[in-house]
């Protein structure tokens, strides 16, 4: 075998000083150490430190003797006997009280869950799921009135994602000049978050002719896209529905969103 | 079997020979039993033909003596492992005792396909590491506790024992600065002589992880050791045959 590099030896020195290296490799390392002073210094340092550590095995601790171990055995057996004499859980008074406590905890947890669920209004016939995202053109800022240049899912405000929710591309920290902010209806909190997650599949309109949501959503649509002075796109208003565009089936939010952009 | 710990001056005999004695006592299948055991317990604990698993089976059957025999077999090992992780006698006692209580409570969950000591050592190590994490600066007080003893030992035992004490004090300082995961594997491997294959299930890591921690732990220990020794008494690690090596290195450096 050719002479190993210092790196190769260095990776094996901890095993060498611990006597854990295979016989062949140990010979190679020993040969290298006989010729290489830096590696020999490294090995000597490791060996000294390890010897000091190993010597700790022989350290006597103050107060540790046979009497202490005899006492420890006695104490340990007594502690185990105490544990063994304790009534098992679920039997007797000692066991019933923890069981009652567990029932109370479960009831309290159930009540809290119900209160939390009740406080979040569920979408009904006027479901948030039926609404379309409000489009707006980020490309407008770049002089592209169609908004094509920025047609990604980040271009769409999400009215149901909670108050003042917007979506931006990852890494986008600054507000866009024409960023749309909308107010989500009260009570859409948890559901809105769920819907926001469902939009992960939504990646904006691929159709240049896309001009807005198909349905006049019964909820008040955000007006800010129209109010935005930097949004010259004429069809950016949510009310501007394309003629002949099929109505999506209610309750199929993702289908609608995907169908919009087809 | 030779019990190094019980001999008052045994550790003064210094490094590798003495440590090998302790390592043997910790790894042997026939551990040293504490004195003063009831006769039945002592007989059970000393009976090498009765395995640990058999003692567990008998304890599960409701007998008291088999579990007391398990305590007798393993309490010294549990104590010393906990001591080398924690560095305090009282804490190590508590951990050893609590480990047996936990063992008793979980006896019916014993995995018969695995060795008993691996399972038990895991309980001990978990308790010791938890305790160590709760108070990381364990050794400071103990080092102070050692100081009065150093003066006494200087008078009675001469400089060899004193140097060993000082060296051990420095080692404790280094161990205290070492990350817990490295400390655990160093204690189990270099002090208690377990292999990485034995250490891995005790620490609930893979074999490769145990080896990596040992490798890195030794490197970290060496770095800290040199720092502490240089800053400490400046005389380097006491005793052992490492001094000639260091002298040889110095000579070689000069020649180079």
């Amino acid at each position: 075998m050719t002479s190993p590099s210092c790196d190769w030896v260095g990776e094996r020195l901890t095993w060498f000083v611990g006597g854990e290296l295979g016989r062949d490799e140990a010979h190679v390392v020993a040969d290298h150490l006989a010729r290489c002073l830096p590696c020999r210094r490294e090995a000597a340092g490791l060996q000294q430190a390890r010897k000091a550590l190993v010597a700790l095995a022989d350290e006597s601790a103050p107060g540790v003797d046979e009497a202490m171990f005899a006492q420890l055995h006695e104490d340990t057996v007594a502690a185990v006997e105490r544990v063994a004499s304790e009534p098992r859980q679920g039997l007797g008074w000692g066991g019933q009280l923890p069981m009652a406590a567990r029932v109370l905890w479960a009831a309290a947890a159930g009540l809290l869950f119900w209160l939390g669920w009740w406080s979040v209004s569920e979408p009904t016939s006027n479901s948030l799921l039926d609404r379309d995202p409000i489009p707006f053109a980020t490309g407008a800022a770049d002089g592209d009135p169609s908004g094509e240049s920025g047609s990604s899912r980040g271009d769409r405000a999400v009215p149901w994602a909670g108050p003042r929710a917007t979506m931006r591309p990852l890494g986008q920290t600054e507000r866009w000049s024409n960023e749309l902010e909308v107010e989500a209806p009260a009570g859409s909190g948890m559901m809105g978050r769920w819907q926001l997650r469902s939009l992960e599949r939504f990646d904006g309109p691929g159709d240049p002719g896309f001009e807005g949501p198909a349905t006049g959503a019964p909820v008040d649509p955000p007006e800010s896209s129209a109010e935005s002075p930097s949004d010259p796109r004429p069809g950016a208003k949510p009310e501007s529905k394309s003629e002949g565009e099929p109505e999506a089936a209610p309750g199929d939010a993702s289908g609608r969103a995907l169908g919009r952009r087809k | 079997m030779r019990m190094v710990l019980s001999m008052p001056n045994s550790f003064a005999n210094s490094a590798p020979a003495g440590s090998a004695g302790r390592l043997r006592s910790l790894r042997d299948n026939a551990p040293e039993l504490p004195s003063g055991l009831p006769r039945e317990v002592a007989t059970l604990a000393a009976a090498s033909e009765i395995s640990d698993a058999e003692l567990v089976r008998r304890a599960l059957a409701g007998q008291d003596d088999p579990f007391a025999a398990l305590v007798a077999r393993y309490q010294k090992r549990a104590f010393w492992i906990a001591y080398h992780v924690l560095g305090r006698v009282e804490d190590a006692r508590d951990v050893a005792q609590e480990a047996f209580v936990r063992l008793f409570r979980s006896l019916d969950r014993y995995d018969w396909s695995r060795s008993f000591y691996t399972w038990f050592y895991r309980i001990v190590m978990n308790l010791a590491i938890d305790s160590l994490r709760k108070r990381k600066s364990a050794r400071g007080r103990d080092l102070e506790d050692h100081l009065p003893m150093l003066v006494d030992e200087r008078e009675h035992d001469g400089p060899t024992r004193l140097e060993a004490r000082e060296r051990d004090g420095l080692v404790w300082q280094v161990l205290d600065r070492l990350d817990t995961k490295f400390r655990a594997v160093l204690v189990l491997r270099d002090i208690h002589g377990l292999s990485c294959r034995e250490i891995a299930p005790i620490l609930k890591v893979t074999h490769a992880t145990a080896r990596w921690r040992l490798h890195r732990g030794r490197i970290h220990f060496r770095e800290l050791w040199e720092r502490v020794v240089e800053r400490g008494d400046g005389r380097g690690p006491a005793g052992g045959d490492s001094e000639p090596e260091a002298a040889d290195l110095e000579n070689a450096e000069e020649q180079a």
Side-chain angles (χ1 to χ4, degrees), chain A residues 9-21 25 33 36-86 88, chain B residues 4-6 10-11 14-15 18-19 22-23 32-35 37 41 67-68 71-72 75-76 79-80 83-84 89 93 96-97 100-101 104-105 139 146 149 165 167-168 171-172 175 186 189-191 196 211 214-215 218-219 221-222 225-226 237 241-242 245-246 249 252-253 256:
Chain A
V9 171
E11 290 170 2
R12 286 157 179 80
L13 279 183
T14 57
W15 309 113
F16 180 76
V17 300
E20 295 135 343
L21 213 53
E25 282 193 334
L33 292 181
C36 180
L37 179 62
C39 288
R40 198 157 68 244
R41 290 182 62 196
E42 186 75 15
L46 281 168
Q47 194 174 32
Q48 285 179 3
R50 186 173 180 274
K51 277 184 180 173
L53 177 63
V54 169
L56 209 60
D58 291 330
E59 184 204 26
S60 174
V64 178
D65 51 19
E66 281 305 305
M68 189 217 77
F69 282 121
Q71 186 64 45
L72 178 59
H73 185 272
E74 198 175 311
D75 294 346
T76 303
V77 171
V80 169
E81 283 174 352
R82 276 198 302 277
V83 171
S85 63
E86 287 174 2
R88 288 180 177 275
Chain B
V4 176
L5 294 173
S6 60
S10 59
F11 65 92
S14 189
S19 63
R22 164 79 86 72
L23 294 183
E32 185 154 347
L33 304 176
S35 60
L37 292 175
V41 173
F67 193 83
V71 175
Q75 75 165 17
K76 283 187 179 177
F79 171 83
W80 285 114
Y83 176 72
H84 287 131
V89 172
R93 266 185 59 110
Q97 184 168 322
F100 283 109
V101 171
F104 180 79
R105 283 188 169 136
R139 286 307 303 180
H146 285 213
M149 295 190 63
R165 278 287 187 189
R167 178 202 59 212
D168 291 342
V171 172
W172 282 118
L175 283 177
L186 283 180
R189 173 66 193 137
D190 284 340
I191 301 181
C196 285
R211 281 177 60 85
L214 180 61
H215 175 72
R218 280 176 177 163
I219 291 173
F221 185 88
R222 175 261 171 105
W225 170 252
E226 290 180 345
D241 48 359
S242 57
E245 293 169 7
L249 286 174
E253 270 188 88

